[in-house]
Each structure stands twice: as structure tokens, then as C-alpha cells.
Amino acid sequence: MPISLAVITYNEEDNIVRLLDALKDIVDEIVIVDSYSTDNTKEICTQKYPQVKLFEKAFNGYGEQKNHAINLCSNEWVLFLDADEVPDENLKKSIKKITSSVQPEFKVYNVKFNNHLGIHLIKFGGWGNVYRERLFRKDCAKYSDDKVHEYLIFNEKCGILEGRLNHYTYKSIQHHITKINKYSDMMAEKMFEKGKKINRFKIIVSPSFEFLKVFIFKLGFLDGFPGFYIARTMAYYTFLKYIKLYEKIRLIEIEKKHGKL
């Protein structure tokens, strides 16, 4: 059966070639929904890869953007990957085997991740045993509408693909911190929209607990200094999302107090 590769992008010129080169020979269609990139992402996609169908849409959250991409796919099977993910050879063979079967056992398939931080393969701290749904029939699944930390919604039993998906998380510390700032903005907005409350005690305590959870309880220390770095930045992300939520709530309270709302 024909298969569509779906990807959402924004300034992914450093990643997109690696992904498309790995998959151009096993997918029939490549649907890319770009959020008006300012680098060469669009030019790379449209000039080098004839299977690419590129669309542009303003970004309003990951869930909405991914569902838009799914709707644009014309094939029954959808392989939905991020631009910084690359399947190994065993995974590519497994994908071809499933989509060429007359009657595959499952309609949704999980894949195990190899999470890389720079040159380091991270095995602990919650990064070493990660599975995500990446291959599914178009009519059987969609993403939640969450702005961030979206998830695939489906009612079927889930299979597991052979092979691994290599996830190259961050190209530099600066890139990582930029993404943490972006994700914490979106997470604070998501929590605010759901009416979540926050207090100063949780803002103070939660980052420390997150560090202990990742570095000690989830054995992040076994990854050495990279494991320490991940635990510290996860604690920083936790602090940012809660302090930003606290700021949003306080601003609304002040505006109400002064009769501006």
C-alpha cells in the first residue's frame, strides 16, 4: 500500500535533508507543513525532492499543525516524523514490510527511540526507554489539540515496529535553551487555558524534585555529565513553565482588581 510521510517544519534546514534522504526511496508522498520558515527549509524540500508537497500554515500549536498535515496526506498509511528523527535500516525494512502486507496485524505502530544529545546516546534519565506512535492508518488516528506535548488519539491495539528511530535532539546548548524557552511558553499557556493553579511553594520545590527524579530515581547519573546536563535543564524547564503560569495568573488578577477586565 502507498505510504505518506508527514512532517511539520520551521527552520529545519539543518535536519530535513538527513530525514528526506533516509526515506525518499520508501515513501510515495511527502507532505510538509511549514510554519513560514525564514531559512532554506522550503527551497531544500521543493527543489531536491520531487515527492514533496509543501504547504504553509501559521503555527497555532503542535496538535493542530499535525492534524492539518494528516488531512493533507492522500495515502492510507501515514508515517509521521519530526525533522530531527531518522529511522535506522531495520526500522525502514519494518515499515516497508507492514505497509506492503495485505492485512497487517495492527493499524497503529509504536517505535523505540534512540535519543541523542550531541554525540552522546542517552540511555537513562527517562530518555532511554521511549516509545512513540509513528506509523498509522490515516482513518484510525489523530493528534490531540494540545499546543505542546500533544499525543496520538486512537482506539486500536498498538503494534511495535522493529528497528530504532534516531532522535537528534539539539544541535547546541543555545538551540536547546531556545527550545526550552519556547516549550515553556506554550506549556504555561496550555495550563492557563485549562485553569491550572500554581503557588509559590510549587514553583520553588518542583524544579528540585524534577532534578532528583531525572538524575537519581531515573538513573540519569549513569549517563555521566550529559545525564547531569539533562537533569539540570529539565529542572530549569519545570521552573520556567510554572513561573510563567504564575505570571499569567497574577497579571489577570491585577487587571481584574483595577477593573480592566
Side-chain angles (χ1 to χ4, degrees):
M1 296 181 188
I3 179 173
S4 297
L5 170 65
V7 189
I8 62 172
T9 59
Y10 178 71
N11 289 351
E12 293 287 359
E13 64 180 7
D14 293 330
N15 289 316
I16 198 66
V17 170
R18 181 178 56 203
L19 171 63
L20 297 185
D21 280 349
L23 288 166
K24 62 184 180 181
D25 294 329
I26 71 166
V27 298
D28 304 279
E29 173 188 65
I30 301 171
V31 172
I32 295 178
V33 176
D34 185 74
S35 305
Y36 298 99
S37 291
T38 58
D39 65 359
N40 293 316
T41 298
K42 293 182 289 184
E43 289 76 13
I44 291 169
C45 292
T46 55
Q47 293 174 13
K48 286 191 63 177
Y49 304 95
Q51 306 105 307
V52 165
K53 298 177 181 178
L54 190 138
F55 305 87
E56 290 183 300
K57 180 182 178 299
F59 184 84
N60 295 313
Y62 284 97
E64 178 185 314
Q65 202 80 347
K66 287 187 174 183
N67 284 329
H68 183 68
I70 291 172
N71 291 335
L72 293 169
C73 293
S74 58
N75 293 318
E76 185 174 357
W77 282 98
V78 176
L79 175 65
F80 211 122
L81 299 180
D82 292 339
D84 58 1
E85 297 172 354
V86 184
D88 66 12
E89 290 302 316
N90 286 334
L91 179 55
K92 288 195 284 185
K93 290 176 183 177
S94 182
I95 291 168
K96 287 193 287 185
K97 180 180 177 181
I98 295 299
T99 56
S100 62
S101 299
V102 176
Q103 192 170 0
E105 184 177 359
F106 301 99
K107 296 180 180 180
V108 180
Y109 285 87
N110 260 327
V111 62
K112 188 172 184 180
F113 275 57
N114 284 336
N115 282 306
H116 300 264
L117 182 68
I119 62 172
H120 305 282
L121 174 62
I122 306 301
K123 298 180 180 180
F124 301 97
W127 285 33
N129 195 34
V130 176
Y131 288 82
R132 295 284 186 273
E133 302 87 4
R134 286 295 184 262
L135 179 68
F136 51 88
R137 288 185 184 266
K138 179 181 175 181
D139 60 351
C140 293
K142 69 173 185 176
Y143 284 93
S144 66
D145 290 329
D146 295 289
K147 291 178 180 292
V148 65
H149 300 317
E150 74 292 347
Y151 56 91
L152 194 69
I153 301 170
F154 56 95
N155 295 317
E156 306 286 335
K157 275 190 77 173
C158 191
I160 299 177
L161 293 167
E162 297 177 5
R164 297 290 184 269
L165 189 62
N166 289 300
H167 181 209
Y168 300 97
T169 52
Y170 310 109
K171 59 188 177 184
S172 66
I173 292 175
Q174 180 181 1
H175 178 227
H176 189 190
I177 298 303
T178 299
K179 291 189 78 170
I180 286 174
N181 195 40
K182 174 185 174 183
Y183 281 121
S184 61
D185 277 347
M186 298 175 69
M187 192 62 191
E189 184 66 30
K190 174 182 172 179
M191 291 188 294
F192 180 77
E193 289 176 353
K194 292 188 175 183
K196 186 175 180 65
K197 303 298 181 183
I198 191 70
N199 56 54
R200 293 177 183 178
F201 179 78
K202 188 166 186 176
I203 294 170
I204 294 168
V205 172
S206 292
S208 298
F209 179 76
E210 183 67 21
F211 176 83
L212 290 173
K213 181 178 73 174
V214 174
F215 195 62
I216 304 298
F217 303 142
K218 293 188 175 182
L219 307 180
F221 64 89
L222 294 177
D223 282 315
F225 188 74
F228 173 78
Y229 171 81
I230 288 169
R232 290 294 294 176
T233 50
M234 287 299 295
Y236 178 53
Y237 166 74
T238 300
F239 171 74
L240 282 181
K241 70 180 182 181
Y242 286 138
I243 197 70
K244 288 176 180 179
L245 174 61
Y246 181 79
E247 180 184 51
K248 283 179 175 291
I249 293 172
R250 288 289 294 147
L251 287 173
I252 293 295
E253 289 174 349
I254 290 169
E255 289 178 349
K256 285 182 177 179
K257 184 177 179 180
H258 291 85
K260 294 182 179 180
L261 286 180

